[in-house]
Amino acid sequence: MALLIDDSCINCDMCEPECPNQAITMGEEIYEIDSDLCTECVGHYDKPTCISVCPIDCIDPDPDNKETDIQLRVKYHLITGKPVG
């Protein structure tokens, strides 16, 4: 499942540089996560780094983009060209 930044985001700039897939960008008002690029850090880290660094806990699973671990691994492979170990 891709992640979603809710409207309580304070634009602190902590999450964007932490995303290994460059899925986080500044939207019109708050940061946004591109669900096509978000793998919840599968293939990179044990848990999503954006959630780890967010000081106000405004990043949650996106209910409109549910994906299994296998789907996230396939997405990682398609984005990076690397196999998931």
Side-chain angles (χ1 to χ4, degrees), residues 17-42:
E18 294 297 322
C19 181
N21 295 327
Q22 300 176 336
I24 301 174
T25 56
M26 186 63 189
E28 287 188 33
E29 295 183 25
I30 62 172
Y31 279 95
E32 299 175 346
I33 298 176
D34 182 340
S35 61
D36 291 334
L37 295 175
C38 180
T39 62
E40 294 186 44
C41 291
V42 166

Side-chain angles (χ1 to χ4, degrees), residues 69-82:
D69 186 59
I70 291 172
Q71 289 171 311
L72 292 171
R73 290 173 182 277
V74 168
K75 188 191 299 187
Y76 166 83
H77 174 70
L78 293 172
I79 292 169
T80 67
K82 300 175 185 175

